[in-house]
Amino acid sequence: MTIGILGGGQLGYMLALAGYPLGLHFRFLDPSPEAPVGRIATRITAEFSDRGALKKFAQGLALVTYEFENVPVEAAEYLAERVPVLPPPAALEAAQDRLKEKQLFQKLGIATTEFAAVGDRNALDSAVQQIGLPAILKTCRMGYDGKGQWILRNAEDVSRAKNELPHEHSASHKRTKGDGLDQPAAFILERFVPFTRELSILAVRGRTGETAVYPLIENHHRGGILRLSLAPAPGLEPAIQKMAEDAARRVSESLHYVGVLAIEFFQHQGRLLANEMAPRVHNSGHWTIEGAITSQFENHLRAVTGQPLGATNGIGCSAMLNLIGEVPESSEVLTVRDAHLHLYGKTPRAGRKLGHVTLRAASPEQLAARLSELPSFFHRPDYCLDAALSRAASLRA
Ligand code: AMP
């Protein structure tokens, strides 16, 4: 069985690595000739909008899935006329626009950050009045890893931000009729949440609706990029896990979702506020490769191919550290017991995710000991090792 994957980055790379033992084959489509999957699978290098390439890509595939959420919805819909596309293109559509995403959360009764649509610079003042300061102005589309965001703390920031906004709401962004969710706007203003911590949940839903959920993960970012994940989230209260599971179930049921779905939350005053979702395997779930009974990658493939889902329980506790822009000496990482190094085969570049390290341990104390054995490369503020060490002490085994 050959599975087509749209996007050929590290998520696709790890999907293929998880699929080979299951006897699956893979074909990727990615616009970049540098996409790392080229090393391990057939790769078609073409734009997602290239109909000829999409047609060729789809030939003989059992199904298509994606590892990149900014694949144009039209490309997914075009493929869906030829071959099953899972998760359904509607999920892609909901996740590509921050406003639609938050409106979906709201419609499903999932608490979210207060927000307002901002079409053009004239709309910013009233949005600020409604939401208050501090706030964050974000592009609705194509923003990721903190890109396309401005923190507004005072009136000066607001007038500076206005220069980033178009003079008038462009015709293509005008309100359209639809299911109540489509109100395209170029920007969204969100209340700044002074959260206690950031958490994410990964759920997997099979073709017949069965759902399994991983333990909540605590995430630490620097400059909008994920640096460190701890799983299970330290001091995880069952009520918080339940809130996240309920949200994941509601979203996945409403979208007739199949595959792995990630939702990111802020924990604030004992509640969870949904920030965003990703209709794909997720960076905060990389620890599941060694740290859970079934990895997110294997479970995604089990789900889309209609196989029984694997258990999502963690094995002890794990810490995952992203390698961004540069990588350490492999031998210095591999000398640490139960440390697992993953390199994606990408050319090093500042801000680029080149690999990750997962440390696994039987107890929080053991995890703390293993984290402190990591080489000096990781003992820089960017790696959040201090946070990991102090939080590991409160991890429940
Ligand atoms: P996002 O692209 O929405 O995931 O935002 C990137 C990062 O910016 C998040 O992981 C948070 O650390 C921070 N952030 C985003 N939105 C908010 C918000 N409304 N309040 C506080 N911090 C935020």
Side-chain angles (χ1 to χ4, degrees):
M1 181 190 284
T2 304
I3 295 182
I5 302 188
L6 296 170
Q10 63 269 17
L11 298 175
Y13 191 84
M14 288 183 273
L15 276 169
L17 293 179
Y20 289 135
L22 299 174
L24 301 172
H25 299 267
F26 296 90
R27 185 184 305 154
F28 288 85
L29 181 83
D30 192 285
S32 167
E34 283 184 26
V37 291
R39 293 203 312 174
I40 58 162
T42 314
R43 179 191 60 196
I44 295 178
T45 303
E47 294 299 326
F48 295 121
S49 54
D50 181 342
R51 292 278 161 113
L54 287 174
K55 211 167 167 182
K56 190 171 146 212
F57 170 71
Q59 257 164 30
L61 294 178
L63 63 102
V64 167
T65 187
Y66 26 80
E67 62 95 76
F68 175 62
E69 76 261 36
N70 286 322
V71 168
V73 175
E74 305 76 57
E77 284 170 346
Y78 178 76
L79 287 166
E81 290 165 14
R82 289 161 173 77
V83 56
V85 175
L86 298 167
L92 203 57
E93 193 168 10
Q96 281 179 356
D97 188 299
R98 290 180 189 279
L99 186 63
K100 281 190 185 177
E101 198 173 62
K102 292 226 157 59
Q103 286 170 333
L104 176 67
F105 291 145
Q106 227 174 23
K107 186 181 115 179
L108 297 173
I110 299 166
T112 182
T113 328
E114 279 174 75
F115 64 93
V118 179
D120 56 35
R121 59 177 67 181
N122 300 322
L124 187 59
D125 287 324
S126 60
V128 168
Q129 241 168 16
Q130 184 191 332
I131 300 299
L133 293 178
I136 305 193
L137 181 67
K138 301 179 179 179
T139 53
C140 283
R141 303 181 74 87
M142 299 305 280
Y144 62 94
D145 286 347
K147 294 188 180 84
Q149 302 192 2
W150 300 266
I151 297 188
L152 311 184
R153 292 188 181 83
N154 48 44
E156 215 170 274
D157 290 343
V158 175
S159 23
R160 211 173 300 131
K162 276 189 190 165
N163 295 328
E164 305 283 344
L165 300 178
H167 281 283
E168 239 178 69
H169 201 15
S170 71
S172 63
H173 283 128
K174 285 224 166 90
R175 239 170 226 232
T176 56
K177 280 191 191 151
D179 55 5
L181 293 177
D182 32 307
Q183 271 188 8
F187 297 85
I188 179 171
L189 187 74
E190 293 179 13
R191 176 117 190 118
F192 183 89
V193 183
F195 51 77
T196 319
R197 60 176 170 174
E198 294 188 76
L199 299 167
S200 57
I201 195 92
L202 301 184
V204 55
R205 188 167 185 270
R207 280 191 170 198
T208 49
E210 71 279 22
T211 304
V213 187
Y214 288 91
L216 265 166
I217 305 146
E218 178 178 303
N219 300 314
H220 294 258
H221 298 82
R222 288 286 178 278
I225 303 182
L226 180 69
R227 302 302 308 225
L228 164 79
S229 292
L230 296 169
L236 181 56
E237 303 98 335
I240 292 286
Q241 173 78 23
K242 187 170 178 311
M243 276 182 220
E245 286 190 13
D246 283 350
R249 281 178 208 280
R250 268 182 244 175
V251 172
S252 55
E253 273 164 33
S254 81
L255 294 170
H256 307 291
Y257 199 87
V258 179
V260 167
L261 169 80
I263 306 182
E264 296 181 55
F265 299 95
F266 300 133
Q267 187 172 350
H268 179 53
Q269 297 177 333
R271 294 170 74 207
L272 288 184
L273 301 176
N275 178 39
E276 62 178 356
M277 65 182 194
R280 53 166 172 78
V281 286
H282 196 254
N283 192 171
S284 69
H286 291 359
W287 64 275
T288 60
I289 297 175
E290 293 88 10
I293 293 179
T294 316
S295 81
Q296 62 164 345
F297 301 101
E298 181 177 336
N299 254 338
H300 182 76
L301 295 170
R302 288 186 185 217
V304 296
T305 56
Q307 296 290 323
L309 302 180
T312 46
N313 313 61
I315 305 167
C317 40
S318 299
M320 189 283 310
L321 298 106
N322 267 338
L323 301 173
I324 306 207
E326 53 182 341
V327 296
E329 267 304 317
S330 296
S331 59
E332 288 190 288
V333 174
L334 298 175
T335 188
V336 179
R337 193 175 162 82
D338 228 342
H340 304 270
L341 177 64
H342 297 255
L343 299 174
Y344 310 144
K346 291 159 83 176
T347 313
R349 203 183 300 145
R352 207 169 192 209
K353 289 176 181 168
L354 302 175
H356 73 267
V357 172
T358 297
L359 283 183
R360 190 177 56 175
S363 67
E365 296 72 27
Q366 199 178 55
L367 184 64
R370 290 194 176 147
L371 282 164
S372 55
E373 282 172 37
L374 283 172
S376 55
F377 178 93
F378 293 95
H379 294 259
R380 284 178 284 162
D382 276 1
Y383 281 88
C384 307
L385 204 60
D386 287 350
L389 283 166
S390 64
R391 304 296 280 150
S394 56
L395 268 176
R396 284 199 201 128

